[in-house]
Amino acid sequence: MIQIADIREWRDQDVVDQDGKKIGILESVYVDTSTDAPSFVTVTVGLPTRHRLVFVPLGGAIVGPGYVKVAFGKAVVKDAPSIGTDGVLTAEEEPGVFAHYQLEYAPGANGERQLARR
């Protein structure tokens, strides 16, 4: 299980797919607002002059020395919803992140967002 106390150590680590292929560099962690547990990460991908941040779920992820291995293939991740390196995930875009990975999206009872950046 990935521990929230380790979040500070994750930034700038390689993110690799289940086959060990590098996807990109971990930029930030998003937690589930109902549990405060790590739920998604953003990964820096693209050419140096065209970086963008893609969202990747942490379900089934493994943290190793110098990397976070996610349960999704590189091709799936690279096609995931993204934001610019200075962008923010809007409330309207949040359901699309979950839909891309075929994950259930459940906002709070009063419409609260499910993800918060840490």
Side-chain angles (χ1 to χ4, degrees):
M1 178 68 183
I2 297 174
Q3 300 298 318
I4 195 160
D6 299 330
I7 285 178
R8 285 175 290 224
E9 298 172 19
W10 296 358
R11 187 162 184 178
D12 297 326
Q13 299 298 313
D14 287 343
V15 176
V16 300
D17 69 8
Q18 69 271 29
D19 296 325
K21 294 178 186 167
K22 183 176 175 180
I23 297 169
I25 303 294
L26 193 144
E27 192 274 334
S28 62
V29 176
Y30 283 73
V31 297
D32 183 315
T33 56
S34 64
T35 64
D36 211 32
S39 181
F40 277 80
V41 293
T42 53
V43 179
T44 304
V45 299
L47 301 172
T49 58
R50 294 187 188 168
H51 281 150
R52 62 190 173 96
L53 302 174
V54 294
F55 289 83
V56 185
L58 285 173
I62 299 168
V63 176
Y67 68 89
V68 175
K69 184 184 285 188
V70 296
F72 296 90
K74 186 174 183 175
V76 172
V77 171
K78 293 240 174 169
D79 286 339
S82 65
I83 57 175
T85 55
D86 293 328
V88 295
L89 179 65
T90 66
E92 296 78 24
E93 295 169 320
E94 192 173 86
V97 172
F98 285 78
H100 177 77
Y101 293 102
Q102 300 177 346
L103 299 172
E104 181 180 336
Y105 179 71
N110 296 316
E112 299 91 356
R113 296 184 60 180
Q114 191 168 340
L115 297 176
R117 185 177 177 182
R118 292 285 187 259

